[in-house]
Amino acid sequence: MTTTPSEAEPRTRPGGLPWPALLALSTAVFITSLTETLPAGVLPGMAESLDVGPGAAGQSVTVYAAGTALTAIPLARATASVPRKPLLLGAMAVFLVANTLTAAAPAYAVLLAARFLAGVAAGLAWAILAGYARRIAPAGSEGRAIAVAMTGIPVALSLGVPAGTLIGEQVGWRAAFGAVSLATLAVLGWIGASVPAVGRPAAEGAGGVRPGLRRTLAVPGVAAVLVTVALFVLGHTVVYAYVAPYLRHAGLGPRTDAVLLAFGAASLLSIWGVGRHVDRRPRALMLTGAALFTLATAALAVTGAHPVVWAAAVLWGLGWGGAPTLLQTAAGRAAGRRGAAAADTAQAALVTLWNAAMALGGVAGGLLLDRSGTGAVAASAAALGAAALLVVAGGRRDAFPGV
C-alpha cells in the first residue's frame, strides 16, 4: 500500500520532540480526564440545582464512563479510514458542545444525555491521542511522546479537580463546567495551529485483513497488556474512590486534601521519570510501578498509622503516575506489529477497559466499604495490584519485553 505525501507519517523527522503539538494533545487529555471526575467535586450544588439526590447526581460520572466504554471500540473501528487531525478536532468539537450543554442543562435528563455524549466524544479522542503522539514523534522517542501527552491525567487528578471544586464552591457548578468549555475552545485552536496532520491508520492489517478487535486481541502480547490494564485500574479505583472514608477512619479526614496533594505530586514525578526512560526500560518501569502500588495498598490495609499513610500515598503516586504511559505504550507496541490500525484498535480497547474498570471499581469499592470496612478496600486493591504484577512478570516475551 502506498501513501501520498499528505498521508506520510512525520515521526521519522530528525530532531527533538514536537513540544507545542504534544502539549496541545496533553491539554486535550487533561480536559477530558478532568471532566469525567469533576462532578465529584461539585455534587452538592449540582444535586440541589437539579432537584435530585446526591446519588442521582453522582450518576453523571457513571453515564460519562458508560459513553466512553460502550463506543470507543466501534467508533475507532468505524473511523479507521479518517485522517487523524480532522477526526481529533471533530471529537473535541462534539465534546465542547456536550460539555456546554452540561453547564446549561435545565433538567436532570438533559444533564445525563449531555454527559453521555461528552463521554462518547472523549472516548473517541482518547482512542486516538496516544497513537497521534506516537506518530508525530521522532523514531525512538515514541514512548517519551506518549508520556508527555498522558501528563494530563495526573495533572487533572491532582490539580484540575480541586481547582474545579473551588470554582464550583465560589460561583457554582455550572461555572466550573463553563470554564472547561472555554478551555476546550482554546485547545481546539491550539490543536489546529500546532498539531501536524497525519494520515489515516492503515485501513488493512497484515495479510490484507482489516484488523478488527478479535484479530487485534490475537496479536501476541495484546491480551496480556489489556488484562494488566483491567487489574491495575480496578485496583487503583477501588481505593482512590473511597480514600476519603479511609482517611477519616484513620484520623486524617481534615488532611485529605494534603494527602491527595502528596499523591498527585508523586504521580507527576512518576510520569516525568517514566517519560525519560520508557523507550529504554519499559519492563523494569512497569514491574516497579505495579510493585510500588501493591506495597502501598498493602500497607494501608495493615495499618492506618499516620506516617505509614503518608508514605503509602507517595509510593502509590510513584507507582500509579506513569502507568497510563506505560500501558498505552505497551499496547501500541504489541498491536503495532500488525500495523497502525491494529494499534489504534488496541488503544480503543484499552480506553474501554479503563472506563469499565473505573465504573466497576466504584461499585465494588462501595460494597466492600459497606460490608467489610476500609481495610478490606485497601486489601482488595493490593490483591489486584499483585495480580497485575504477576501478569507483567509473565509477559516478558511479547507484552512487556525488554529490561
Side-chain angles (χ1 to χ4, degrees):
M1 177 178 177
T2 60
T3 57
T4 66
S6 64
E7 291 179 329
E9 301 287 0
R11 57 184 276 183
T12 55
R13 297 173 182 171
L17 292 177
W19 284 101
L22 290 175
L23 290 175
L25 298 181
S26 179
T27 306
V29 171
F30 168 80
I31 289 170
T32 51
S33 299
L34 165 63
T35 307
E36 181 166 19
T37 53
L38 182 57
V42 295
L43 209 57
M46 182 183 290
E48 182 179 355
S49 172
L50 297 171
D51 196 26
V52 296
Q59 297 310 304
S60 59
V61 176
T62 303
V63 297
Y64 188 104
T68 297
L70 291 173
T71 62
I73 292 175
L75 282 179
R77 181 164 168 77
T79 58
S81 62
V82 179
R84 301 292 92 179
K85 185 169 183 176
L87 182 61
L88 178 59
L89 288 169
M92 293 303 295
V94 173
F95 178 84
L96 170 62
V97 171
N99 193 72
T100 302
L101 183 57
T102 300
Y108 179 64
V110 176
L111 175 81
L112 293 184
R115 289 285 293 173
F116 183 85
L117 181 60
V120 171
L124 178 57
W126 266 64
I128 62 177
L129 277 166
Y132 211 132
R134 187 175 65 248
R135 290 181 186 124
I136 65 176
S141 297
E142 296 87 350
R144 287 185 62 208
I146 294 174
V148 173
M150 292 301 106
T151 304
I153 296 175
V155 171
L157 287 173
S158 59
L159 301 177
V161 173
T165 301
L166 180 61
I167 294 173
E169 290 174 348
Q170 297 299 318
V171 291
W173 68 272
R174 296 183 188 275
F177 282 96
V180 172
S181 289
L182 289 176
T184 305
L185 186 61
V187 85
L188 274 167
W190 192 358
I191 291 171
S194 66
V195 176
V198 299
R200 62 187 183 181
E204 295 183 348
V209 178
R210 190 176 179 85
L213 178 60
R214 183 176 300 178
R215 292 184 179 276
T216 300
L217 291 176
V219 178
V222 172
V225 173
L226 294 179
V227 169
T228 306
V229 169
L231 292 170
F232 209 165
V233 176
L234 181 59
H236 166 76
T237 307
V238 162
V239 67
Y240 186 83
Y242 298 98
V243 68
Y246 177 91
L247 293 174
R248 284 199 301 270
H249 184 265
L252 282 169
R255 305 301 304 278
T256 297
D257 54 349
V259 174
L260 290 179
L261 182 61
F263 165 82
S267 294
L268 291 174
L269 180 61
S270 173
I271 201 168
W272 175 80
V274 165
R276 287 178 59 87
H277 301 290
V278 64
D279 291 307
R280 296 187 298 275
R281 302 180 64 85
R283 177 177 175 79
L285 290 168
M286 192 66 235
L287 286 169
T288 301
L292 288 175
F293 173 81
T294 303
L295 176 62
T297 49
L300 294 175
V302 171
T303 177
H306 292 189
V308 174
V309 172
W310 283 101
V314 172
L315 293 178
W316 177 10
L318 290 174
W320 169 257
T325 295
L326 292 165
L327 292 169
Q328 290 196 312
T329 300
R333 285 177 173 172
R337 302 185 188 105
R338 296 290 174 87
D344 277 4
T345 300
Q347 296 292 348
L350 185 150
V351 170
T352 297
L353 276 177
W354 194 288
N355 282 274
M358 287 183 65
L360 180 59
V363 173
L367 292 174
L368 284 167
L369 182 65
D370 291 340
R371 296 181 180 180
S372 304
T374 56
V377 172
S380 297
L384 289 163
L389 180 59
L390 289 175
V391 176
V392 175
R396 175 180 292 275
R397 180 176 177 181
D398 297 306
F400 300 97
V403 295

